[in-house]
Amino acid sequence: MEENKSMADFAEELEASYGRMYVWDRLEAMMDEQESVTVEITEVAKGGVVAYLEGVRGFIPASKLSLDYVEEAALKKYVHQMVEVRIADIDVEERKLILSAKEILKEATAKERLEKISEVKIGSVLEGVVESLKPYGAFVDLGNGINGLLHISQICKSRIKHPGVVLSEGQAVKVLVTDNQDGKLSLS
């Protein structure tokens, strides 16, 4: 212990050090548990934004801020917004904390999609647009974030070698929902 420091100063530093260790331990536990927390974005930094979590400065890269691409110039609009994040990475020695909102947004979008798909009834006739053609069938965009597979055997009454013989990408089609399992729609 340095001669200039009193025992009280030393005890205060020790307590602050243990407090910091506790905070980083807590942050590591939050990362391990994939705990979601809401933070306020306080400022823009190069390539992202800054928010504080448990008193620690956290960086949210622009690529982890939204599901869409965020331009550097557009980062300013996020300042003072509340955002739900998870800890993406942590480096205790370097005192670096990386946060991400993207995984939470992906999960919310997937949940919303499943809810929409669960509302689609077997036997419904829907209109859609051929999104893509594969050797085994065509994916049809039914709108509202929902799509389904039109299997090659369900495209027409006669046997075809490839869906492109009958369908083309961008073509409007009417389809019958034949199955709705595990968030996947089968069409005919």
Side-chain angles (χ1 to χ4, degrees):
M1 182 167 61
E2 293 178 22
E3 291 180 27
N4 304 17
K5 292 185 180 180
S6 71
M7 194 57 147
D9 290 338
F10 179 72
E12 202 172 284
E13 281 180 15
L14 194 61
E15 187 176 302
S17 177
Y18 278 117
R20 279 192 295 273
M21 294 290 284
Y22 170 78
V23 167
W24 286 96
D25 287 345
R26 168 79 180 114
L27 292 172
E28 285 181 323
M30 289 171 75
M31 184 174 81
D32 292 343
E33 296 166 13
Q34 292 293 296
E35 187 177 327
S36 298
V37 292
T38 302
V39 296
E40 180 181 0
I41 295 173
T42 58
E43 62 186 277
V44 174
K46 184 176 180 176
V49 293
V50 174
Y52 286 83
L53 178 59
E54 301 280 333
V56 175
R57 183 182 191 270
F59 179 69
I60 307 172
S63 63
K64 301 285 187 183
L65 194 55
S66 172
L67 292 176
D68 302 318
Y69 178 76
V70 179
E71 297 274 342
E72 188 82 22
L75 292 173
K76 292 177 189 168
K77 74 175 188 171
Y78 287 93
V79 176
H80 301 301
Q81 284 191 17
M82 302 302 283
V83 179
E84 191 173 0
V85 296
R86 286 193 189 129
I87 298 173
D89 195 20
I90 194 167
D91 185 341
V92 177
E93 284 91 35
E94 296 289 325
R95 299 284 192 245
K96 289 184 180 178
L97 178 64
I98 307 296
L99 306 172
S100 174
K102 194 169 196 167
E103 287 70 27
I104 295 168
L105 294 170
K106 279 182 183 178
E107 289 169 7
T109 302
K111 181 180 176 187
E112 185 178 310
R113 181 181 175 280
L114 281 175
E115 287 173 1
K116 288 177 187 176
I117 287 176
S118 70
E119 294 172 3
V120 176
K121 303 291 182 224
I122 294 173
S124 300
V125 176
L126 305 171
E127 292 187 20
V129 176
V130 176
E131 200 172 45
S132 64
L133 299 174
K134 305 292 180 193
Y136 51 85
F139 285 96
V140 178
D141 179 1
L142 301 169
N144 209 12
I146 301 172
N147 64 8
L149 174 63
L150 178 56
H151 192 269
I152 192 167
S153 65
Q154 300 294 312
I155 292 175
C156 63
K157 292 179 183 177
S158 60
R159 186 179 165 118
I160 58 175
K161 289 188 176 199
H162 191 276
V165 173
V166 178
L167 300 172
S168 59
E169 289 183 10
Q171 180 181 348
V173 292
K174 277 190 178 181
V175 293
L176 173 71
V177 177
T178 58
D179 199 7
N180 185 347
Q181 273 190 334
D182 302 323
K184 296 177 183 174
L185 295 178
S186 297
L187 309 172
S188 178

